[in-house]
Amino acid sequence: MITRHNCSMLALLTIWLSAQIVSGQIPAATENDTSSIDTVDKDYSSELPRLPPLPIDEVIKSFEIAEGFDLQLIASEPLVFDPVAFAYDSQLRLFVVEMRDYSEQETEHLGSIALLEDTDGDGRMDQRSVFVEGLSWPTAIWPWRDGVLVAAAPRLTWYRDTDGDGRSDIAEDWFVGFGRDNVQGLVNSLKWGVDGLVHGATSSSGARLESSAARESEDISLGRRDFAIDPLNQNLVAEAGGGQHGLSFNRWGDKFVTSNSDHLQQIIDLEWWLAKVPTSIPLPSTRRSIALDGPQAEVFRASPIEPWRIVRTRLRVSGVAPGIVEGGGRAAGYFTGATGTCIMDGEAGFGDSLEDTAIVCDVGSNLVHRKRMQDHGLFWSGERIDQQSELLRSRDVWFRPVQIGDGPDGSLIIADMAREVIEHPKSLPPMIKQHLDLTSGRDRGRIWRLTPKSNTQRTSPLPASLSSVELVDNLAHPIAWQRRMASQLLVERQASDVKRELEGAALRSTPEAQILAMHVLSRLNLLSSELARELVQSTHERVVQHAVRLANVHQLPVDLNPLAADLRPRLQLEVALAVASPTHAEQQQAEVLTELLRQAQEPLVQAVVANTLGDESWEIFARNSAQLSSAARAAWLRLWLPKWSIQAFANAELRNWMLDQFLIRSDEGRDWRTMFALTAKPGDVARIRRLMSQPQRETWDMCVEDDLETALSTPNAGLTSFQALRLVNPEVQLIFAGQLLTSASSENAQRSVLSLSSWSDLPEISSLIIKRFDALTPTLQSEALRVLAERTSTAKILADEIDDRRVHVNQIPLEVRERLRQLEDQSLAARFERFFGQASSDRLGVIERYSVNLDQPGTTEDLTAGEQVFRQFCTQCHRLSDLGNDVGPPLKQLSEKSPRQLLETILDPNREIDPKYMSYTLLDVDERVLTGIIQDESAGQIVLRSAGGEIHTLARKDIGQLKSSGVSLMPEGLEATISIEQMRQLIHFLKTSPAP
């Protein structure tokens, strides 16, 4: 066993590196070195020494471990090489995925599946056999019956050993079509879920799957969604996903993933519901970063920073090499390579016994991190446990924890790839890469076991040797691995002979066992209505949650009415998802949904309820609105009004009710009219006016005009006060637009006219904006240009104005230029391209030109001027303190960035693009051109966030075209609109302002 107390001897690697630095053999491998000028052609070999591996006994001494834990080596070379995934089977044999062809040997088929066994029972593996060989880029594994499921993109294959010799003799492809575009974004993390299915992460390479020839089923386009497989019949369904590498479930079936630096995320899966229920109302994102210290949180490595990281950061900072300058210009010290997560039960001893613990490994920082999980009702959060340290860290840079998981004894198992370099080849500049060996370590690998000293678990019988009755008992085992394996074996055996024992466990065992037992009964098609009705009445929230879900799956009638008044959002969501099932009578549906209307406050629950209520939503709302708070009414109306404004034309009763409400003179009535104006389409208003009687139209216009007159005479009237402009007839619109769009009017009054141009088809409104363009403030000019670029018809007007020099090219915001370049009208797009010219590819020259006086101390006047520049050019996409919008990357740790680093980030935003900030252009059914980043996507909808923070949620069926620009939402070319002096002032403001 290894503890902190026997780690006093320095690892040889640290001694060797120190000697090299002292002797001058690594003269430039420091973060602040400026002794020579960096160029593309410079020889960096003297700064990039090879790092030799340590003997295994020195590796053992290199670890620093949190108090109260022991570390044991389970296996090392020559028993195992390059482990990237593993799984114990029911005989406690350890299957290991060996990815020896990482990262650029994809055609050499060096990957294999090793089968390791502990024949003498000492806790260490001592026998190896090669179960499968000749694989290309294998990444994931799970045991099933007499073999293992293996993911090696593009295939997911079941390899079987039918003669018991430790080698596969039958291979059956279940699915083909997983993407291989990114060696660090391949299908991964096969896991057995509490629902009795095998789950997996698709990752960034995506998938379009073809079924095996033995089964007749349609191809499945997963995109980047995850999946679940029923191994009994090989049926696969899509699940919500989006993580890069690493997937884990807690004991209740909640799903957690990692994605590079975004090291801990939670996903709520609604894909199954979205596939059945038409969603005319958008849903909030179901994937959320939950680390309280942020996605790219600090880590505390013990290992020296690899020389290549230091040199690469310096080259990126100087602009010699492309790439994102992260961490304020630091080469390390923050999450850069989170490659696995594992949620451990609180009772397992890895943290607070009252809360579960999230374990996350960072392969780039040579450490294993942990967080205390806190339940907030629907989503969790994770809070760092170890202060200024980690659960496990090594001074050896060859320690590469690439995947983690729990073992049969409740310990944490760590797959250590033991490589000199772990990095995506494309992220290594050629001048560095030529001096590295990306295959170094292909002959090494380790598997470690981390165990709390409080864990006194003794050897358990082999699960495979247990009877089915004993397996039912094991569903309540204190160790999570044992519970899951018992569940899997009962499904494998199709153990219908223990139905009575399973029903007993579902009713009277621990909550964890109750959930597993009811899912096993479900997988055996033995879940009865009587049992479901009893389970729904349980006092444990999670037991009720799963009981409601399974009753819905099997269409078993249960009484949901008592649950509707439950204030816990997790149960509210489950009830809302289930209530639309045909097993529930219309009367029960109405009663349950009415109660949820009164009680639900979680936005996700509200959106599900709003979609589930369907065409009757307005009647239920009308009957119950008086019992809702004003905030609750506003939340529901924001969801429903767009839908009602369409339904009203075919539903006379709804139409009359809406007209009555909008003609009310009370303050509440005016609020309703304002909200209607914010959500309805121009054609909808026109049709509503046609449906009104003449007296109604006159009354309506008089009310709205009164509201507008009141707003005009109110100095601090908000934007919504002027939105009623949308609701009057076009002639009145033009009269009021002329009054509102003047320098004497408030900014909100003027903005309402710009909004009207985006919303209305009246060409006179666009012409009015152009006519008065010079009188608008810079902020309103930018907003006006964005509005004019939304449609081809108004973009033509803008092009004419540029031709006639009434609008100058340098006034057009950069993201608007990109939108105009992407217009469907090719001749018009080419016209704008001629206006803007091609952006210079020589960004380094621009950066050098803007570097003049960059380090000059700033004054108070510079700070004020810099804030104005930030307001004018940056707030559409970036937030700093209380200024701006959260669209682009967060402006964190600005004080740690040098002025030069900030300059490069601003002037060369496409040096290395984070995919989540890549710009997309979308054409919707109304022929609007929208540009922004994809904030979220599901099977049924796309959520686009555009500059200014506006969110557009569109059903996929309403999208005419979606195209990536290949560049950041912040394009190159800011130097065309900002002077060198303004840039200096902006950077002074960014460095001086407090962090957000």
Side-chain angles (χ1 to χ4, degrees):
M1 297 293 183
I2 306 162
T3 68
R4 184 189 298 275
H5 302 294
N6 61 11
C7 291
S8 58
M9 182 177 179
L10 286 176
L12 287 182
L13 175 62
T14 305
I15 298 173
W16 181 85
L17 280 175
S18 300
Q20 295 294 306
I21 294 171
V22 171
S23 66
Q25 296 301 308
I26 313 179
T30 62
E31 295 192 65
N32 300 313
D33 192 302
T34 58
S35 61
S36 61
I37 298 175
D38 289 321
T39 66
V40 173
D41 300 325
K42 179 182 172 182
D43 182 1
Y44 294 91
S45 58
S46 64
E47 301 183 65
L48 299 169
R50 298 291 304 282
L51 306 179
L54 299 178
I56 193 66
D57 59 333
E58 293 296 337
V59 173
I60 291 172
K61 296 173 184 176
S62 76
F63 286 103
E64 297 180 9
I65 309 166
E67 195 68 37
F69 291 88
D70 288 326
L71 185 69
Q72 181 183 20
L73 181 66
I74 296 177
S76 62
E77 65 277 359
L79 280 179
V80 66
F81 306 95
D82 281 342
V84 297
F86 57 86
Y88 285 93
D89 73 352
S90 60
Q91 301 177 58
L92 303 189
R93 301 180 300 174
L94 183 60
F95 287 88
V96 181
V97 177
E98 299 179 321
M99 194 180 183
R100 300 183 72 181
D101 44 4
Y102 176 88
S103 60
E104 297 181 296
Q105 287 71 50
E106 61 174 306
T107 62
E108 297 181 25
H109 294 266
L110 303 176
S112 56
I113 305 300
L115 173 55
L116 307 184
E117 297 183 69
D118 174 12
T119 60
D120 57 10
D122 67 350
R124 294 191 58 167
M125 300 298 166
D126 49 48
Q127 180 174 298
R128 167 191 172 94
S129 57
V130 179
F131 195 77
V132 183
E133 58 187 341
L135 302 175
S136 174
W137 284 356
T139 48
I141 192 167
W142 194 259
W144 176 249
R145 289 182 170 163
D146 57 357
V148 286
L149 283 173
V150 175
R155 290 178 167 76
L156 180 67
T157 306
W158 184 28
Y159 292 98
R160 301 177 60 197
D161 173 17
T162 60
D163 57 13
D165 65 352
R167 293 181 64 88
S168 168
D169 46 58
I170 295 178
E172 178 184 321
D173 284 341
W174 282 8
F175 294 94
V176 179
F178 289 99
R180 290 172 61 90
D181 295 339
N182 180 357
V183 67
Q184 294 185 171
L186 302 170
V187 55
N188 63 89
S189 302
L190 297 178
K191 305 283 185 182
W192 184 262
V194 298
D195 56 1
L197 302 174
V198 177
H199 300 257
T202 302
S203 196
S204 59
S205 292
R208 184 174 183 83
L209 302 179
E210 303 171 4
S211 302
S212 67
R215 293 185 300 111
E216 294 182 3
S217 61
E218 295 181 359
D219 294 351
I220 301 172
S221 179
L222 288 178
R224 295 175 63 171
R225 292 177 295 164
D226 292 344
F227 59 89
I229 301 172
D230 182 347
L232 294 171
N233 55 23
Q234 295 89 60
N235 283 336
L236 182 146
V237 294
E239 292 190 321
Q244 182 177 349
H245 194 281
L247 178 157
S248 183
F249 297 96
N250 64 9
R251 68 182 92 190
W252 315 118
D254 299 334
K255 180 177 178 178
F256 304 88
V257 300
T258 57
S259 187
N260 203 8
S261 60
D262 198 347
H263 62 285
L264 186 60
Q265 303 169 68
Q266 181 184 350
I267 295 175
I268 294 178
D269 178 44
L270 298 184
E271 288 292 323
W272 61 274
W273 183 79
L274 290 168
K276 297 190 300 183
V277 179
T279 52
S280 57
I281 295 170
L283 301 178
S285 176
T286 56
R287 179 162 63 114
R288 182 179 294 182
S289 295
I290 61 170
L292 291 180
D293 46 357
Q296 198 179 50
E298 296 288 302
V299 296
F300 300 94
R301 61 186 291 168
S303 54
I305 302 173
E306 302 94 322
W308 65 264
R309 288 189 187 275
I310 296 171
V311 175
R312 182 180 67 175
T313 299
R314 193 182 74 226
L315 294 179
R316 286 180 172 180
V317 168
S318 67
V320 172
I324 299 172
V325 179
E326 297 179 311
R330 296 175 296 158
Y334 44 88
F335 270 105
T336 61
T339 56
T341 184
C342 183
I343 309 299
M344 304 293 283
D345 293 352
E347 299 87 345
F350 283 86
D352 188 336
S353 62
L354 299 178
E355 302 286 354
D356 291 350
T357 306
I359 313 291
V360 183
C361 54
D362 189 324
V363 66
S365 299
N366 321 116
L367 57 84
V368 179
H369 171 87
R370 61 176 172 165
K371 278 185 159 63
R372 180 183 301 105
M373 298 295 285
Q374 298 174 337
D375 189 1
H376 300 285
L378 192 57
F379 284 94
W380 294 76
S381 67
E383 181 181 20
R384 167 179 278 278
I385 294 176
D386 303 285
Q387 301 304 312
Q388 306 296 311
S389 185
E390 303 293 348
L391 172 63
L392 172 69
R393 58 185 183 176
S394 174
R395 296 188 298 275
D396 178 10
V397 294
W398 281 63
F399 173 56
R400 301 295 185 183
V402 294
Q403 187 62 283
I404 52 178
D406 57 341
D409 61 352
S411 59
L412 182 75
I413 311 300
I414 305 166
D416 172 10
M417 205 171 180
R419 285 286 190 118
E420 183 179 357
V421 178
I422 295 283
E423 185 58 82
H424 196 293
K426 292 183 179 179
S427 293
L428 292 168
M431 66 283 278
I432 290 178
K433 185 179 175 183
Q434 64 181 321
H435 301 296
L436 304 177
D437 180 2
L438 299 189
T439 69
S440 179
R442 200 161 63 184
D443 57 346
R444 284 173 166 75
R446 290 89 196 241
I447 307 287
W448 304 91
R449 176 191 290 119
L450 183 68
T451 308
K453 291 180 179 178
S454 59
N455 184 343
T456 58
Q457 176 66 27
R458 296 289 178 255
T459 303
S460 298
L462 293 179
S465 68
L466 299 177
S467 68
S468 294
V469 171
E470 291 171 318
L471 289 175
V472 173
D473 292 337
N474 253 23
L475 295 177
H477 200 286
I479 293 177
W481 185 94
Q482 297 283 351
R483 297 196 299 266
R484 293 195 305 270
M485 182 52 69
S487 161
Q488 178 171 336
L489 288 174
L490 288 166
V491 173
E492 283 187 7
R493 296 178 186 180
Q494 289 291 280
S496 57
D497 56 319
V498 290
K499 176 185 176 184
R500 182 174 58 82
E501 289 82 356
L502 283 167
E503 289 177 335
L507 288 172
R508 292 179 291 277
S509 191
T510 64
E512 294 89 341
Q514 287 182 273
I515 291 169
L516 289 172
M518 72 173 83
H519 278 286
V520 172
L521 286 165
S522 169
R523 300 287 283 110
L524 301 177
N525 291 315
L526 296 176
L527 186 65
S528 66
S529 299
E530 294 78 7
L531 180 61
R533 282 195 290 270
E534 277 196 74
L535 290 171
V536 164
Q537 299 175 42
S538 170
T539 58
H540 195 279
E541 175 189 13
R542 293 313 192 112
V543 172
V544 177
Q545 177 193 10
H546 285 268
V548 171
R549 183 177 305 173
L550 287 175
N552 185 29
V553 168
H554 293 280
Q555 297 189 9
L556 304 176
V558 294
D559 186 7
L560 298 178
N561 290 61
L563 299 177
D566 197 302
L567 298 180
R568 290 172 288 187
R570 193 172 279 119
L571 290 185
Q572 289 179 342
L573 178 61
E574 207 64 54
V575 170
L577 294 170
V579 74
S581 169
T583 57
H584 301 292
E586 289 186 11
Q587 180 61 32
Q588 186 191 33
Q589 291 180 9
E591 292 173 359
V592 170
L593 290 169
T594 298
E595 191 61 36
L596 288 171
L597 176 73
R598 296 170 183 154
Q599 303 291 351
Q601 297 182 21
E602 165 64 45
L604 183 57
V605 178
Q606 289 180 333
V608 169
V609 170
N611 279 291
T612 303
L613 273 168
D615 293 345
E616 291 74 36
S617 58
W618 73 271
E619 296 176 272
I620 295 177
F621 180 83
R623 288 196 299 268
N624 293 277
S625 63
Q627 302 174 44
L628 302 176
S629 66
S630 58
R633 280 199 302 274
W636 289 111
L637 286 171
R638 278 193 294 271
L639 290 171
W640 269 319
L641 281 172
K643 181 177 180 178
W644 291 346
S645 68
I646 296 172
Q647 289 178 317
F649 308 118
N651 185 328
E653 192 175 359
L654 169 59
R655 180 170 65 250
N656 292 333
W657 174 76
M658 289 179 69
L659 290 177
D660 286 343
Q661 297 301 319
F662 294 135
L663 292 171
I664 293 174
R665 286 294 298 161
S666 67
D667 286 342
E668 184 176 357
R670 281 197 288 273
D671 288 342
W672 282 40
R673 288 200 302 277
T674 300
M675 295 192 70
F676 185 82
L678 287 168
T679 55
K681 297 179 181 179
D684 296 345
V685 174
R687 283 190 291 272
I688 288 176
R689 291 182 61 81
R690 286 197 299 270
L691 293 171
M692 291 178 181
S693 65
Q694 183 62 30
Q696 283 179 321
R697 278 197 295 271
E698 292 174 357
T699 302
W700 171 265
D701 286 343
M702 208 164 48
C703 292
V704 175
E705 289 174 34
D706 285 348
D707 286 349
L708 289 169
E709 293 287 358
T710 301
L712 275 169
S713 61
T714 304
N716 299 317
L719 177 62
T720 54
S721 299
F722 297 101
Q723 295 291 13
L725 180 63
R726 297 177 172 187
L727 305 181
V728 293
N729 66 61
E731 293 79 11
V732 176
Q733 281 183 352
L734 291 173
I735 294 170
F736 272 98
Q739 296 178 38
L740 295 171
L741 196 64
T742 69
S743 56
S745 299
S746 68
E747 185 176 284
N748 283 329
Q750 296 180 69
R751 184 172 281 116
S752 69
V753 181
L754 304 183
S755 174
L756 181 64
S757 175
S758 173
W759 182 84
S760 169
D761 291 322
L762 285 174
E764 293 87 350
I765 299 294
S766 300
S767 298
L768 176 66
I769 292 171
I770 289 292
K771 182 179 178 180
R772 301 190 180 177
F773 184 79
D774 288 342
L776 300 178
T777 64
T779 300
L780 290 176
Q781 281 186 344
S782 296
E783 192 166 329
L785 290 166
R786 291 185 184 92
V787 167
L788 293 171
E790 284 186 352
R791 298 182 184 181
T792 300
S793 58
T794 51
K796 287 179 179 176
I797 297 174
L798 178 58
D800 292 339
E801 294 300 307
I802 295 174
D803 259 338
D804 294 338
R805 300 183 182 277
R806 287 190 290 268
V807 173
H808 298 287
V809 170
N810 63 6
Q811 292 176 294
I812 300 178
L814 297 177
E815 75 276 2
V816 176
R817 298 186 190 195
E818 291 303 311
R819 180 183 297 177
L820 293 169
R821 286 184 172 111
Q822 301 292 331
L823 288 170
E824 284 295 296
D825 186 324
Q826 296 298 313
S827 62
L828 185 57
R831 190 177 171 190
F832 280 109
E833 188 62 57
R834 288 193 299 273
F835 290 145
F836 305 139
Q838 293 290 341
S840 170
S841 61
D842 184 14
R843 306 308 302 159
L844 188 57
V846 174
I847 291 168
E848 292 302 326
R849 180 158 55 88
Y850 271 72
S851 297
V852 178
N853 298 327
L854 198 60
D855 293 318
Q856 175 183 323
T859 64
T860 302
E861 291 76 15
D862 287 335
L863 190 62
T864 302
E867 180 178 345
Q868 292 305 313
V869 176
F870 182 80
R871 286 178 182 273
Q872 182 174 350
F873 293 103
C874 308
T875 52
Q876 284 293 317
C877 294
H878 296 284
R879 178 182 294 277
L880 187 59
S881 190
D882 58 349
L883 297 177
N885 295 282
D886 290 316
V887 181
L891 302 178
K892 295 177 69 175
Q893 301 171 321
L894 292 178
S895 60
E896 298 180 8
K897 285 182 178 286
S898 69
R900 172 77 181 208
Q901 292 166 357
L902 285 169
L903 180 67
E904 291 169 349
T905 301
I906 294 168
L907 292 179
D908 196 4
N910 294 312
R911 183 174 290 182
E912 185 174 315
I913 307 168
D914 186 331
K916 65 185 177 184
Y917 295 118
M918 185 174 289
S919 175
Y920 281 77
T921 300
L922 184 151
L923 179 70
D924 70 6
V925 291
D926 294 323
E927 297 188 349
R928 287 186 306 162
V929 179
L930 305 174
T931 301
I933 62 170
I934 295 181
Q935 179 172 296
D936 198 12
E937 63 174 315
S938 69
Q941 66 183 24
I942 292 283
V943 180
L944 195 79
R945 192 180 187 99
S946 60
E950 186 174 2
I951 294 178
H952 307 275
T953 302
L954 296 99
R956 289 184 182 269
K957 62 182 178 60
D958 293 334
I959 297 173
Q961 185 181 45
L962 181 68
K963 184 169 68 174
S964 168
S965 68
V967 297
S968 166
L969 183 61
M970 177 180 171
E972 298 173 353
L974 188 60
E975 69 274 7
T977 54
I978 184 172
S979 69
I980 294 175
E981 178 64 9
Q982 285 178 311
M983 181 66 75
R984 185 186 66 80
Q985 293 166 337
L986 171 63
I987 289 175
H988 176 63
F989 170 70
L990 293 176
K991 283 196 59 66
T992 307
S993 296

